[in-house]
Amino acid sequence: MTTDAAVERLSRWTAARTTRRSFLNRLGQLAVLVAAGPTIAGFLLRRAEARVCGQSGVTPKCNTFDCNGIDDVWGWCWYASDGCCRNDGLKKICDCCTVNYPNVHGYCPSGTNVRCIVESCGTDPRLLHVTLTPVTWELGGYTKAAIASGRLSASQLSGNQTSTNGFGRSTRAVIAPDGDAGAQLIAAPLAGTLGAPLITSAYSGPNTADISLLVELGVSKVLGVGRLDAAALTAAFASSGIDYQVVADDTDHTALSVAVAAAIGAVNDINRTVTITTSGLSAAAGPLAAAFAAVNGFPVALGSAATAAIGLPTVYIGPEPTDAGVPSERTSATTLQALSIELADMALTAPLADTSRLTLAPEGSGDLIDLVNLGTPILLHPPGLLGPLEQWIQDHSLRYGYVEEVFFTRGPGELTTEQYWHLQSAVNGFRVDQLTGRPGEGLPVYRQPLAERPIGMARTDGALPVGTVDPPSYWTDLGQTLR
């Protein structure tokens, strides 16, 4: 037997019979690294503090749950119990391995060593089955990024045009003035009903880039909502083979609301509106309410006069005193973030709702109307923090199953790396909120049986009895639609 083989055999024997990466008995692991020179060997000989409950040593916790670098590969895991999870679950600690990384070999494939570890009190932390799609804020908003992201997701959609903006299936687009926020709110549900993108334009017409984007999307007709130069837009679009049609050309928001409600009614048999006032919490929540209306195909009535003129039952957004004299219900939340959650809950419990896609954005963003193009409810988080959305997302999974895709924004107020780690945990069921314990606790640890080593097969409950595993060979009524 060669010296190298003997050293590796001793290392594996030692690792199999001692606390995982414990420095109470480090001879096996240290011997593997002697060849690396005195710097690493001396580093390992120094006493190291445990990084996480159930793991002692120098290997750090991964910043995120991604192990997808060019030289990265997942190893397998070990289990730690006895206080490492507040929910009494079985903690999984798994190796992210990198080719020739200067660290212990751990539970890594041949030729790789441990770069960092991931941990979970829920499902297998190596299995990322939910797509997290960034939408980047640029000067002028999220518009192009949101449309592009929505288009990429169109192939995942059910085709129900009243519950998603699947504009990969639409040959139309809706355009509103970029200087009229009210017109944009009113136009959004028309875009949602048609499964079409919503874009904004100067009075004289869209720029060349916007027209090129519409051509790329396969748009053949653009519907105008709000005061725009119809002659200029007709000419601009005609040069690209696109027809322009005016739905409503007005600066009066009551007139716009009525006209767009009629256009939506011609597509869907609706009997409800969403009323947004022009002040207070209701006004601040305008883009959230527009997204809620868009995914359900409800017209937006901007102001009680518009609600009365349309004459349908309505859902009042916010606590502002309003009475249009029609049957109505009202949201109950008193903060913008809570209202975003309430509206999302209403949208997701509607019949035929698409519960598989969500959009997260920082509270305080002034460009949220652009995110209507993603065709999902918009949930607000505190700037830089996931906040209460962590628990809400976990509850969502219990109600509806795992989501398929979550859009999150990059730019002002974006999630920190640590909070992105929490988001990955929440959507994938890793339950890092349940991790507990002090360094060095959570012992004994258990080797992962052979059948549980493939990604996704790690057990979630129940510790393995010591000595039994062979050593490894290596909607509420408020939001219910009546249509």
Side-chain angles (χ1 to χ4, degrees):
M1 177 182 298
T2 66
T3 301
D4 288 345
V7 168
E8 182 163 354
R9 182 175 180 182
L10 176 61
S11 173
R12 291 182 179 279
W13 183 91
T14 305
R17 287 158 176 79
T18 61
T19 297
R20 179 73 165 109
R21 296 189 184 132
S22 171
F23 279 176
L24 297 178
N25 191 333
R26 304 191 291 279
L27 178 60
Q29 293 178 344
L30 180 59
V32 174
L33 294 178
V34 167
T39 300
I40 293 178
F43 179 61
L44 290 181
L45 280 170
R46 295 196 300 269
R47 179 176 181 81
E49 295 298 328
R51 294 297 190 271
V52 292
C53 180
Q55 182 256 352
S56 297
V58 298
T59 298
K61 182 172 68 68
C62 302
N63 289 334
T64 70
F65 286 95
D66 302 295
C67 183
N68 54 9
I70 189 171
D71 291 327
D72 291 344
V73 63
W74 284 115
W76 42 284
C77 313
W78 70 101
Y79 302 129
S81 61
D82 302 326
C84 283
C85 293
R86 282 192 296 268
N87 60 1
D88 294 325
L90 184 67
K91 180 177 177 179
K92 278 73 60 183
I93 307 173
C94 308
D95 288 341
C96 175
C97 310
T98 302
V99 173
N100 296 327
Y101 195 79
N103 196 6
V104 294
H105 184 61
Y107 296 142
C108 290
S110 178
T112 67
N113 297 321
V114 184
R115 177 172 62 82
C116 59
I117 60 169
V118 295
E119 50 184 345
S120 167
C121 283
T123 55
D124 190 328
R126 302 168 297 172
L127 180 60
L128 295 170
H129 55 80
V130 177
T131 300
L132 298 181
T133 302
V135 180
T136 302
W137 187 92
E138 297 172 342
L139 186 62
Y142 296 105
T143 303
K144 293 180 179 62
I147 291 176
S149 296
R151 185 188 182 202
L152 291 173
S153 301
S155 62
Q156 304 176 15
L157 306 180
S158 64
N160 173 22
Q161 291 186 336
T162 62
S163 64
T164 134
N165 286 56
F167 34 78
R169 298 180 173 87
S170 177
T171 60
R172 289 169 286 188
V174 177
I175 192 168
D178 56 16
D180 189 343
Q184 295 168 26
L185 298 177
I186 295 166
L190 178 59
T193 299
L194 298 174
L198 171 68
I199 66 172
T200 61
S201 168
Y203 172 76
S204 58
N207 58 39
T208 302
D210 286 339
I211 294 178
S212 297
L213 178 60
L214 295 178
V215 172
E216 182 183 352
L217 291 173
V219 171
S220 60
K221 178 180 287 189
V222 174
L223 307 177
V225 175
R227 180 56 56 87
L228 295 163
D229 188 337
L233 268 70
T234 298
F237 285 128
S239 64
S240 298
I242 299 174
D243 293 331
Y244 179 65
Q245 176 182 334
V246 177
V247 175
D249 179 6
D250 210 314
T251 57
D252 180 78
H253 292 153
T254 296
L256 285 182
S257 298
V258 173
V260 172
I264 293 174
V267 177
N268 288 329
D269 183 17
I270 51 99
N271 70 343
R272 186 182 297 271
T273 63
V274 175
T275 298
I276 306 171
T277 67
T278 57
S279 63
L281 180 61
S282 182
L288 307 177
F292 163 72
V295 299
N296 287 286
F298 298 147
V300 161
L302 194 55
S304 58
T307 306
I310 297 170
L312 295 176
T314 196
V315 177
Y316 291 117
I317 305 301
E320 287 68 30
T322 309
D323 186 1
V326 298
S328 64
E329 297 172 283
R330 184 181 298 277
T331 59
S332 60
T334 58
T335 67
L336 191 59
Q337 185 182 60
L339 184 54
S340 76
I341 292 175
E342 183 177 0
L343 290 172
D345 281 331
M346 290 165 59
L348 294 169
T349 52
L352 303 179
D354 177 9
T355 61
S356 67
R357 300 163 71 244
L358 304 169
T359 298
L360 312 185
E363 187 173 6
S365 172
D367 307 298
L368 293 177
I369 190 64
D370 297 342
L371 301 181
V372 169
N373 277 311
L374 298 174
T376 78
I378 300 173
L379 292 142
L380 299 183
H381 59 78
L385 302 172
L386 194 56
L389 294 189
E390 181 172 12
Q391 185 61 54
W392 184 90
I393 291 170
Q394 291 172 160
D395 292 342
H396 177 280
S397 298
L398 294 177
R399 296 182 183 120
Y400 307 112
Y402 290 120
V403 296
E404 296 178 6
E405 184 170 25
V406 176
F407 297 100
F408 67 98
T409 63
R410 284 182 174 157
E414 67 178 280
L415 296 173
T416 65
T417 300
E418 180 185 5
Q419 292 298 297
Y420 179 81
W421 175 74
H422 278 274
L423 174 59
Q424 286 182 305
S425 167
V427 298
N428 290 288
F430 300 152
R431 296 309 306 268
V432 299
D433 58 310
Q434 295 300 315
L435 294 170
T436 188
R438 296 189 302 273
E441 287 186 333
L443 308 179
V445 295
Y446 307 89
R447 293 185 303 275
Q448 196 176 36
L450 183 63
E452 299 176 16
R453 293 174 195 170
I455 296 176
M457 297 301 293
R459 69 174 58 198
T460 57
D461 296 297
L464 299 172
V466 176
T468 62
V469 179
D470 292 332
S473 62
Y474 203 70
W475 159 288
T476 65
D477 62 344
L478 177 65
Q480 183 158 353
T481 175
L482 303 178
R483 65 174 184 270

